[in-house]
Amino acid sequence: MDINFQKGHPLEIAGDCLIVGLLEEEEFTSGALESANMALDGSLRQLFDEDELVGKSGTSTLIHTLGKVTPKRILFTGLGKRDSVTEKVIKDVVSAAIRKARGIGLTKVVIAIDTFCSEDLSPQRVCELSTLATLNGLYRYEDHISEKSEKTIKEVILNTAAPAESSVISYTAIAEAINLARDLANAPPNFMTPSILSDIAEREAKANGIEFERLDEDKMRELGMGSLLGVAQGSNEPAHLIILKYIGDKDNIDDSIALVGKGITFDSGGLSLKPPAGMITMKGDMAGGAAVIGALIAISKLALNINVYGIIAATENMPGGKAQRPGDVVTAMNGTTIEVINTDAEGRLVLADALCYANHLGVNKIVDVATLTGAIRTALGDQIIGAFGNNAEFTKEVIAAGAREGERLWELPADESFSKHFKSDVADIKNVGGAAGGATIGAMIIGLFAEDTPWVHLDIAAVSRTNSINGDDPKGATGTPVKTLVSLCKSISECR
Ligand code: BES
Ligand code: ZN
Ligand code: ZN
């Protein structure tokens, strides 16, 4: 699918469908509407008077132009009242419109960019949002479906006079990274083992000028990663610690950030086995790792002036004959001993060693991304990422990075008052606390392994997949929080 630009009057641009943003207004006043109305012999005024062209959010009206103007159809998409038009509204309505165009079998769509702009929303920004809406909104995962969908949008034309080419190139890289992260997390678990994940990471890294390394189980044993290996030992699939290294700031080679992802390619719960209903989505328990891989690739394509490590702890969590038992004690790379009370709380166990490794590399900041707890959904619902950190300023920076790109993050507490809940009688800590504050307990256990490095933990368990279309997220894996990670690295790189 190509995204191209064309200047000129929207009614003079050839295409199957012109997508127009329409505000909800009392009067038939808008300039854009009036010129289209004249070209269409007053029919728009008539539709308006008959309440069929209302601009209410969630509504749309498709009209056939029958040769009176160049576009074959016009799809008016309701934006709602002027004050309520946010970036999210634009992205959601453009996604819906373009999906609708695909649904009726159209192939060439023109977006009238100016009709979505306002004082706060520049044509460049609307082009960026349209790029995400198009590439992410049209995403579908069909790798294992014999008869692929035939309906495909081939070309999207952004109708604007504004110089937005570089914005669109950047956001194409971001949108493609999101789709890659979705592909990884949507893949069935027999097609996305730790080895396959690591092979894909290697291929993508090499294609994008990113250094790649993988630590096998022997190497991890040598480094003392007993916590990660404890999770891996119940599976026949070998674990990998995947390491990506993007060097974008050679002059400050000692300054770097680590993005660390939970990469459980299937979480059965281990011997603390999950019930079937809770297990079915657990192929997506590597969504954090997938987002880290996607982010590194986008960061490299954007050539950001920053050094970034991507570290993904990839393993299955299975209840095999060699599986770790509830009650086992494991030792992480930094010497901390952990009593494994519940083998289903495996994310913190693999991240413990991944964070130790980040510190071993000497990074200055760490962000970990994990589908860590069911508790985060209870706390924040299914639209918000839980954020936890050990450094107020850095946590704020990460939350602000998300806000700039429409990914909502909310900070929850992670302070010493929770520590008593994961004290163990037989080891330094245990891997679960009580039922209360589950997301915080998980975060705090991970935080122990960040030690003094500024660190933020993002719990994406509730937002990593959606059961139904949600804006530019089709059903399935969302690719969250690629945008936050890229935006964070961009802002750090611009502060130099
Ligand atoms: N992968 C799960 C968390 C999860 C739940 C992700 C639902 C996505 C959707 C994690 O490994 C897990 O099982 N966590 C346990 C922790 C508990 C045993 C302390 C949980 O949340 O129940
Ligand atoms: Zn689990
Ligand atoms: Zn898990």
Side-chain angles (χ1 to χ4, degrees):
M1 217 255 325
D2 294 323
I3 300 183
N4 295 316
F5 289 93
Q6 217 168 314
K7 293 180 200 163
H9 197 284
L11 296 176
E12 290 167 5
I13 293 176
D16 296 322
C17 184
L18 175 71
I19 296 177
V20 172
L22 189 64
L23 284 167
E24 182 180 345
E25 297 196 280
E26 310 286 312
E27 302 287 334
F28 189 83
T29 48
S30 119
L33 259 191
E34 193 48 63
S35 68
N37 183 48
M38 294 208 313
L40 295 165
D41 304 333
S43 53
L44 295 186
R45 165 127 238 163
Q46 201 179 327
L47 286 172
F48 184 88
D49 290 341
E50 288 168 4
D51 283 346
E52 289 204 39
L53 203 59
V54 289
K56 275 205 171 68
S57 102
T59 66
S60 68
T61 310
L62 179 70
I63 63 159
H64 291 254
T65 61
L66 308 173
K68 291 182 177 140
V69 292
T70 315
K72 289 188 190 144
R73 300 168 189 79
I74 304 177
L75 179 57
F76 292 97
T77 62
L79 297 174
K81 296 238 160 64
R82 191 178 294 273
D83 291 346
S84 60
V85 182
T86 58
E87 294 196 351
K88 179 173 165 26
V89 168
I90 304 281
K91 193 148 58 71
D92 290 359
V93 300
V94 174
S95 299
I98 216 149
R99 268 198 298 260
K100 178 163 180 159
R102 181 176 68 182
I104 52 178
L106 309 181
T107 59
K108 181 174 173 182
V109 165
V110 183
I111 304 177
I113 295 296
D114 286 351
T115 64
F116 294 92
C117 293
S118 62
E119 250 174 47
D120 302 330
L121 275 161
S122 68
Q124 282 85 352
R125 187 61 182 153
V126 173
C127 286
E128 292 173 356
L129 297 167
S130 300
T131 303
L132 294 172
T134 301
L135 296 174
N136 291 150
L138 292 176
Y139 171 88
R140 49 193 173 201
Y141 182 76
E142 296 187 322
D143 285 13
H144 305 279
I145 293 175
S146 309
E147 278 185 38
K148 317 273 187 233
S149 318
E150 282 175 359
K151 293 174 178 170
T152 313
I153 301 279
K154 297 207 172 87
E155 186 183 10
V156 171
I157 293 176
L158 304 178
N159 168 224
T160 177
E165 283 83 355
S166 71
S167 305
V168 167
I169 291 171
S170 297
Y171 275 77
T172 298
I174 295 168
E176 286 174 348
I178 290 168
N179 287 348
L180 170 69
R182 290 171 174 180
D183 275 346
L184 299 175
N186 280 329
N190 55 332
F191 285 88
M192 193 49 60
T193 61
S195 310
I196 299 173
L197 181 62
S198 129
D199 287 348
I200 296 176
E202 178 171 23
R203 188 189 70 207
E204 292 291 333
K206 291 194 169 151
N208 288 286
I210 297 168
E211 289 174 35
F212 173 86
E213 195 185 349
R214 86 181 82 194
L215 306 186
D216 62 13
E217 292 189 357
D218 286 342
K219 184 69 191 168
M220 288 192 249
R221 209 161 287 120
E222 209 178 286
L223 288 166
M225 298 186 171
S227 186
L228 198 166
L229 288 168
V231 174
Q233 75 193 32
S235 167
N236 289 339
E237 293 289 337
H240 294 276
L241 190 73
I242 302 169
I243 300 140
L244 308 173
K245 185 177 175 188
Y246 167 73
I247 304 291
D249 185 13
K250 285 204 180 75
D251 298 340
N252 296 293
I253 204 76
D254 292 334
D255 199 355
S256 62
I257 180 169
L259 308 179
V260 182
K262 173 176 174 182
I264 302 293
T265 61
F266 186 70
D267 182 9
S268 71
L271 284 176
S272 311
L273 198 66
K274 285 183 183 294
M279 210 189 284
I280 191 67
T281 56
M282 285 302 133
K283 64 177 185 181
D285 210 20
M286 32 59 73
V292 167
I293 295 170
L296 262 285
I297 290 163
I299 288 163
S300 164
K301 285 195 176 151
L302 300 181
L304 299 184
N305 180 30
I306 181 174
N307 302 318
V308 188
Y309 285 97
I311 303 173
I312 299 105
T315 175
E316 287 185 335
N317 184 26
M318 297 290 275
K322 291 193 176 150
Q324 67 181 349
R325 295 144 288 246
D328 279 2
V329 172
V330 295
T331 306
M333 186 179 169
N334 68 352
T336 303
T337 57
I338 310 166
E339 182 188 9
V340 180
I341 297 288
N342 187 324
T343 64
D344 196 12
E346 83 298 340
R348 57 204 75 180
L349 296 174
V350 301
L351 289 169
D353 278 328
L355 261 68
C356 288
Y357 193 74
N359 274 331
H360 167 82
L361 292 171
V363 303
N364 310 95
K365 292 186 177 94
I366 301 173
V367 178
D368 84 72
V369 189
T371 46
L372 202 80
T373 66
I376 200 68
R377 179 185 292 267
T378 311
L380 295 178
D382 61 6
Q383 301 292 313
I384 302 180
I385 298 169
F388 307 79
N390 64 1
N391 177 302
E393 202 184 320
F394 185 44
T395 310
K396 251 197 199 155
E397 225 179 303
V398 176
I399 293 173
R404 283 193 296 277
E405 292 302 329
E407 288 184 328
R408 296 181 65 193
L409 284 76
W410 197 266
E411 186 179 4
L412 290 171
D415 62 67
E416 277 309 306
S417 67
F418 292 85
S419 300
K420 59 177 182 288
H421 297 298
F422 50 91
K423 260 184 145 39
S424 161
D425 296 332
V426 299
D428 299 338
I429 55 167
K430 56 184 180 182
N431 77 330
V432 294
T440 287
I441 304 283
M444 286 204 58
I445 292 174
I446 297 170
L448 291 176
F449 301 87
E451 299 187 2
D452 296 331
T453 311
W455 153 83
V456 171
H457 159 66
L458 302 179
D459 193 337
I460 59 163
V463 300
S464 65
R465 38 191 334 106
T466 171
N467 288 329
S468 54
I469 292 179
N470 180 17
D472 61 342
D473 288 330
K475 191 174 169 181
T478 59
T480 311
V482 168
K483 281 178 287 206
T484 301
L485 299 177
V486 175
S487 164
L488 173 70
C489 289
K490 186 161 183 274
S491 77
I492 296 175
S493 77
E494 283 167 356
C495 284
R496 289 182 192 281

